[in-house]
Structures are given as structure tokens and as C-alpha cells.
Amino acid sequence: MFVTVTPEWQDMGSALVAELCAHLPGTGPEDLALVVVQRNRAGEAKGFVHRGMEPVYPCSLVKAFHLIHALAALEEGRAEAHGEMDRAMRDMILWSSNTATNYVIDILTGTTGDTLLDGAEYLDWMTKRERLNRFFWRMGWPEWEGCRIAQKLMDDTRYGREARFAAEGGGNLNRLTALAAARLMWELFEGDLPLSPPARARAQAILSRDPAGPDAARPEYQLSEYLGGALPPGVQVWSKAGHNLWTGDAATSWFKHDMIRITAPDRAPLIAVLMTQGKAIAQDHPQLLPQFGAKLWARAAEMEAG
């Protein structure tokens, strides 16, 4: 595990989890995963982990992973740079577009979707789609255990080869651990990814959010009702969120997640990944995540001062 849990962070994180659950009758600690990471003065990752290795249906958090893969593929010559690829990478993060994401997936894997396939043709198609998983398996991250991100992003249910692939092996839907999401953010800003400095800077720019900008209140911008929605003025934010209401499939319904990096002058950068399941958080209490994010940022400041 890339982050070291300290007693101070353990106490603070456990209190935050308890407070969050106390606001939602019927919601318990088993309904969420939380990872908080802060760089100390020595450059080490210190923080808190709650159910960090639990694989969870990730909604649109996978789009941050596809962004990193796409930028690496462009540098390696596995994908061709062109305006539509640039537009799709931007829109899958900026507006969380599923259509843009699926375009990027097709480019990265050399596949298309939906209609039924059989035999060798189907097996070849599956093998190509698994490139999305293999790219991150090769990273050798222990936090990737149990993760898979080879399924396309759907607004409701799946059909044809997409439905068959998602059901392979008794259930092959996308899964991410909160620790894998936190590590992606850590490696992008503090660590090591197979990206040149310009490509790394491009990824950071695409993931940036402006809390004071004209789009901040738009639901598609995924800030105002997520961890960055109630932070004090002057912070910088990079994030990718995910949100599913009812999709027609219980396995992919009622999730709300966020992976975020926050910093401000004279503050150490803070990475947080919160993954939640249940209608209470996903629909009934839209301001719960912003309140939680503000409280987490404030508690981290108290720990820094102490």
C-alpha cells in the first residue's frame, strides 16, 4: 500500500466516517470507502484508509484512468493524435461524457461495441478490450488488486456483446478500489506514471476544476454536489466524480463517488477518494459530499497546524 496510516490520521478519519454515517439513518460504514492522503514534509504519503481495497462499481471514476492510458498511447504511437481524440479526452473528464469515453475506449482497443459476436471473433474482441486492464496491471500496483475497467460507460443497461462481456465469469462489470483511485492521483502529481512531463501536465490540466469559474454550478461539471463544492475561496482543485441513480440494473444503481486533489497557498496537497453506495447519498442528500469535503479540508488544516 502506497500510503502509511498514522494514529493521528486514523483517529481523524474514523471520526469523519462515523459523523457521515450519523447523518444518514440506515447508512453504515460498510456502505462507503474512504482514502485520504497527504504529503508530509519528507514527501511521504501519510493518511487514512477505510475499506480501501474493497472493489466497488466505480461509475465515471474510470474516466481518469482512461485519460492516463490515452495520453500514454498517444506518446507511444499506439493511438493517433487528432482533433476528435483531443475533444473526446476533454469531454469525458470536463462533462463526464459517456459517448466521449466510449470513443476513447474504441481508439485504445481497436474495437466497437453492442452487436452480438460469437466464437473466435468474440474472443478476439474480448482480448482487445482487456488492453484497458493490462495497461494498469503492468504498473504493478498492489492497490489494483480486484480492479477492472474494460466495460464501456452506459446511461442505462447493456445489449449485445457489451451485455455478454459484462456478465462473463459470473459478473465482469467495472470495479475499482478507493486505494487504486487515490494512487492514480498520487502518481500523477507526486510519483511516477509512464508519461512525459508535457503529457503529465496535460492530464493535470484536463482534471482541473475552477470553483470560482462560470461552470462550477453546472451539474455536468461535477463539482457543486461533490467533495469540492463547499471549499473556501482560494483553493485549487483537480477531480473526477462518478454518479449513478437508477439504471435498470441493481448492480450499477445508487452510487456516488469522487476522487479529488485539493491545495492552497501554505497548505500541503490533500488527496481524497470517497466511494458511496445507497439512494440516501446518491439522490436524497445532494449537499452531503460538499459538506464532507469542507469538513475534511478543515480537519486536515488542524492536523497540519498541530
Side-chain angles (χ1 to χ4, degrees):
M1 189 167 68
F2 81 101
V3 56
T4 300
V5 178
T6 66
E8 296 80 10
W9 277 106
Q10 181 66 44
D11 290 345
M12 190 270 276
S14 297
L16 282 172
V17 168
E19 290 174 28
L20 180 60
C21 293
H23 284 88
L24 297 168
T27 298
E30 70 279 2
D31 297 313
L32 59 93
L34 175 64
V35 176
V36 184
V37 186
Q38 193 165 48
R39 185 190 65 211
N40 66 9
R41 291 183 178 86
E44 301 163 325
K46 303 290 184 179
F48 168 77
V49 177
H50 169 70
R51 299 179 78 243
M53 285 300 293
E54 184 69 24
V56 178
Y57 184 73
C59 308
S60 294
L61 295 194
V62 297
K63 295 170 183 175
F65 289 78
H66 295 322
L67 173 65
I68 300 305
H69 186 176
L71 290 170
L74 288 169
E75 291 201 302
E76 295 164 8
R78 293 188 289 111
E80 181 181 351
H82 58 280
E84 287 297 272
M85 184 65 159
D86 292 344
R87 188 165 69 99
M89 288 192 297
R90 180 201 65 194
D91 289 350
M92 78 172 175
I93 301 298
L94 183 61
W95 308 121
S96 203
S97 166
N98 287 349
T99 304
T101 306
N102 294 342
Y103 179 83
V104 170
I105 287 174
D106 284 348
I107 296 296
L108 291 176
T109 63
T111 64
T112 55
D114 297 324
T115 56
L116 284 169
L117 293 176
D118 289 304
E121 194 176 11
Y122 173 66
L123 293 176
D124 179 64
W125 178 86
M126 273 202 309
T127 299
K128 290 177 178 177
R129 271 290 190 84
E130 287 291 341
R131 292 174 185 169
L132 301 171
N133 291 325
R134 290 195 295 270
F135 178 80
F136 288 97
W137 287 339
R138 288 195 294 270
M139 300 282 191
W141 298 350
E143 297 84 2
W144 185 255
E145 182 69 30
C147 296
R148 50 183 182 265
I149 58 170
Q151 306 301 328
K152 281 191 170 181
L153 281 292
M154 302 295 179
D155 294 312
D156 45 50
T157 192
R158 300 167 188 273
Y159 299 91
R161 73 184 84 165
E162 300 292 350
R164 181 178 176 184
F165 186 33
E168 288 287 345
N172 193 35
L173 287 169
N174 288 339
R175 291 284 185 271
L176 273 180
T177 65
L179 272 165
R183 180 148 191 187
L184 186 79
M185 279 293 205
W186 174 267
E187 298 294 347
L188 177 58
F189 288 90
E190 312 287 352
D192 185 31
L193 283 174
L195 297 176
S196 68
R200 182 186 294 259
R202 186 178 181 188
Q204 293 172 359
I206 292 173
L207 286 163
S208 66
R209 290 287 186 267
D210 182 1
D215 295 317
R218 294 182 61 174
E220 303 89 346
Y221 197 62
Q222 293 188 324
L223 183 66
S224 62
E225 295 184 359
Y226 296 87
L227 294 175
L231 295 171
V235 300
Q236 289 181 276
V237 172
W238 299 261
S239 69
K240 183 68 199 81
H243 191 194
N244 276 16
L245 299 175
W246 178 251
T247 67
D249 180 354
T252 63
S253 297
W254 307 122
F255 292 92
K256 191 171 184 179
H257 312 317
D258 201 1
M259 51 192 289
I260 190 169
R261 182 180 187 265
I262 313 164
T263 191
D266 302 320
R267 289 288 304 271
L270 184 76
I271 292 169
V273 177
L274 178 63
M275 305 179 76
T276 73
Q277 182 174 10
K279 183 174 177 289
I281 298 180
Q283 176 172 288
D284 299 339
H285 299 277
Q287 288 306 306
L288 200 64
L289 262 62
Q291 293 165 6
F292 185 85
K295 186 176 294 185
L296 173 60
W297 183 241
R299 296 278 179 87
E302 293 171 6
M303 290 187 59
E304 287 182 70

